[in-house]
Amino acid sequence: MWRDSPRLSRHLESPLHASPKYLPSFFVLLIISCMKKLSVSLRPCYLFATILPATIRQAKYCLFIVEVCILLHTTPTFKMRVGLGLAALGRPGYINLQRDSHLTSRSVEGMQQQANSVMDALFQQSRRLSKEEKLIPWLDCARSYGLSEKFVGEYLKSNNVSPADVYVSSKWGYTYVAEWNVELGEGEPHEVKNHSLENFLKQLQETSEHIGEYVKLYQVHSATFDSGILTNTKVHEALSKCREERGWKIGLSVSGPSQDALIREAMQIKVSGQQRLFDSVQCTYNILEQRPHDALIEAQQSGMDIIIKEGLANGRTLSNPTLLELSSKLNCQPDQLALAAILVQPFQPRVLSGSVTVDQLRSNLGSFYSIEDPESMSLAEQLVSTKEGKEVLQKLMDSCKMESEKYWNDRSALKWN
């Protein structure tokens, strides 16, 4: 790997390296190389390298050692722009359309096997698509997604996945109460919301037991003005303490026709009048529901990470006539065009796939990545760099947009199945 760099090649081929007085430096490099292979932190090595001039009295050569340290340890890594949400894989019932045609078993064992197969596909595609940079697979869970945290934790541990090689986010605030049933009595809920401090501490412990070593982001699940989470300073302090002690980012997800107002309110929340509380927002946005657009731009410009859920509107976008027409025009699948249209928005989002099969995941990934030919232009690139793509994007967003109130009324009518 060193010889991939011309500057390093000149250093390594120099007669300078034959001199015994530079042997201590080679021992440093050897140690650093071994630590790199073992994924041991090199920060102490960087600090040590900065004081080497005092011991070997060769400042120029010390800079070379620092350069080697950095190159050995720096492999660009990026979270995948399309991640896997476990809302539909962690429990037998959900509101996505046509679940019966995709799930053959609703038992705990059957659902876990299904989840494992889709997670397998995500990791395989992340390795296949990694080139100069390393793509990190992203999994999104929640306490209310049935056994999603259990499934993810057991999968990662059984496959010896290092916490450095996966990005896991989860949520607290809802409790799953359906007891692995799909159909409940009239008016009985599948999940119950509780944004109290007591419930946060309880669910934080539960999350820690299942996936604590893997979590990078912990989110308030479906924050609303009515739930009180935006004004509960005790919970804010507990969330800030969680970030400080565990190193987890803190986020929130929003739902409903007031998502834009919720985002703007959340952006103003600070702890001790200093640091902004929320590092990210997870929001519903798609070709049908576009109201949060401006608020998401504001959040992104303020430094918040933007995550989009329900990019296919629980399957409702896939029967939209305009989407079907335009996807045929670009010779792509409807789900790919619907997700690509989100991914190219100026608020630079990452998008969750709600896939429950390997084929669905592979198709969803095709919205941003060139799955068949990694060297070819991706669909997302076409939408922003070609005349035809730009025209398709404009028509799609203009023609499909709904009033938010109608969108959420229609969503509330979807049956758990």
Side-chain angles (χ1 to χ4, degrees), residues 34 63 171 186 220 262 289 308-309 326 373:
C34 292
L63 292 175
K171 310 179 200 71
E186 184 68 28
V220 178
L262 287 163
E289 164 62 317
I308 299 302
K309 58 186 173 73
L326 295 176
D373 179 10

Side-chain angles (χ1 to χ4, degrees), residues 152-172:
V152 167
E154 291 182 356
Y155 174 85
L156 296 175
K157 292 169 187 175
S158 65
N159 286 279
N160 298 313
V161 177
S162 165
D165 292 331
V166 65
Y167 187 94
V168 176
S169 53
S170 194
K171 310 179 200 71
W172 72 275

Side-chain angles (χ1 to χ4, degrees), residues 38 67 317 327 394 401:
L38 296 173
E67 181 182 25
T317 63
S327 60
Q394 187 69 51
K401 184 177 181 179

Side-chain angles (χ1 to χ4, degrees), residues 219-234:
Q219 305 154 101
V220 178
H221 199 168
S222 193
T224 62
F225 290 111
D226 294 338
S227 73
I229 185 65
L230 298 180
T231 56
N232 192 327
T233 56
K234 290 184 178 180

Side-chain angles (χ1 to χ4, degrees), residues 314-416:
N314 306 107
R316 287 185 286 155
T317 63
L318 301 181
S319 60
N320 183 279
T322 302
L323 176 65
L324 296 176
E325 171 199 341
L326 295 176
S327 60
S328 177
K329 183 177 182 179
L330 289 184
N331 194 29
C332 66
Q333 296 301 313
D335 64 296
Q336 294 174 339
L337 180 55
L339 295 179
I342 301 169
L343 285 157
V344 299
Q345 293 302 312
F347 44 82
Q348 301 174 25
R350 292 185 290 125
V351 174
L352 286 166
S353 163
S355 302
V356 295
T357 69
V358 171
D359 288 343
Q360 285 180 348
L361 177 67
R362 182 181 175 86
S363 186
N364 285 183
L365 289 174
S367 61
F368 190 77
Y369 302 101
S370 297
I371 300 297
E372 299 299 334
D373 179 10
E375 300 299 327
S376 64
M377 181 181 292
S378 70
L379 179 58
E381 290 174 317
Q382 292 180 50
L383 294 184
V384 295
S385 62
T386 69
K387 180 180 178 182
E388 182 182 40
K390 292 176 182 178
E391 291 173 351
V392 164
L393 178 62
Q394 187 69 51
K395 182 177 180 180
L396 182 67
M397 302 307 288
D398 290 345
S399 301
C400 299
K401 184 177 181 179
M402 294 176 61
E403 290 294 328
S404 287
E405 287 74 16
K406 176 170 174 48
Y407 175 89
W408 289 99
N409 285 335
D410 290 350
R411 184 188 185 280
S412 65
L414 297 176
K415 302 296 184 182
W416 287 75

Side-chain angles (χ1 to χ4, degrees), residues 144 172-177 189-196 199-200 203 220-229 253-256 262:
S144 64
W172 72 275
Y174 269 105
T175 299
Y176 179 67
V177 295
H190 285 251
E191 51 192 13
V192 176
K193 182 187 290 188
N194 180 353
H195 284 163
S196 69
N199 195 46
F200 166 68
Q203 294 198 317
V220 178
H221 199 168
S222 193
T224 62
F225 290 111
D226 294 338
S227 73
I229 185 65
S253 71
V254 292
S255 298
L262 287 163

